[in-house]
Amino acid sequence: MEQGAWFGSGSAVTIGSRSGVGKDALLMGEVVIGDDVMMGPRVVVLATNHVSDDVSRPMREQGLTRPRPVVIEDDVWIGANAVLLPGRRIGQGSIVAAGCVVTKDVEPYSVVGGNPGRVLGSRGAS
């Protein structure tokens, strides 16, 4: 793990063999990281979000949504400053481009980028 990475209490974070978490990364809530995962600096992984339904109350008083684990399967590369939102699954062998905001599950061996993240290609495709 790189310097400055933050896991909260760390009790809900699982990290597989030969995987790394980048400098100043933030992992909040239940996060499962497989084997051989590479993570760039300042990646944010969130398993919960703020409630914002009641417009008569400030959002900061409405609490948090029900936690939804984030799963990063084996052999994934997540670029710098990427954001993974609650409940997302990053499929085996995928690449998440730097700065990507992952709002949907990523199929195995996909290359995704942008905000919101979209499929740019597939690893191994000719």
Side-chain angles (χ1 to χ4, degrees):
M1 299 324 112
E2 296 283 340
Q3 180 178 349
W6 189 82
F7 304 90
S9 71
S11 65
V13 176
T14 303
I15 301 175
S17 298
R18 301 170 306 278
S19 292
V21 176
K23 180 176 174 59
D24 297 326
L26 172 67
L27 284 67
M28 295 192 59
E30 186 175 349
V31 179
V32 177
I33 299 173
D35 297 335
D36 300 305
V37 172
M38 299 183 296
M39 188 179 294
R42 296 171 306 282
V43 169
V44 175
V45 182
L46 304 171
T48 190
N49 205 342
H50 292 279
V51 174
S52 59
D53 298 334
D54 185 351
V55 296
S56 69
R57 292 177 37 213
M59 289 179 277
R60 65 180 176 77
E61 293 179 359
Q62 294 182 50
L64 298 173
T65 60
R66 176 183 55 81
R68 295 177 21 215
V70 175
V71 176
I72 303 168
E73 295 181 357
D74 298 341
D75 190 29
V76 169
W77 176 15
I78 302 173
N81 298 306
V83 178
L84 283 57
L85 295 180
R88 302 294 53 110
R89 176 177 289 271
I90 310 301
Q92 178 174 341
S94 293
I95 298 171
V96 176
C100 180
V101 178
V102 178
T103 61
K104 297 179 181 176
D105 289 350
V106 175
E107 293 296 318
Y109 302 101
S110 296
V111 178
V112 297
N115 180 5
R118 61 183 171 80
V119 176
L120 302 176
S122 178
R123 286 188 59 212
S126 318

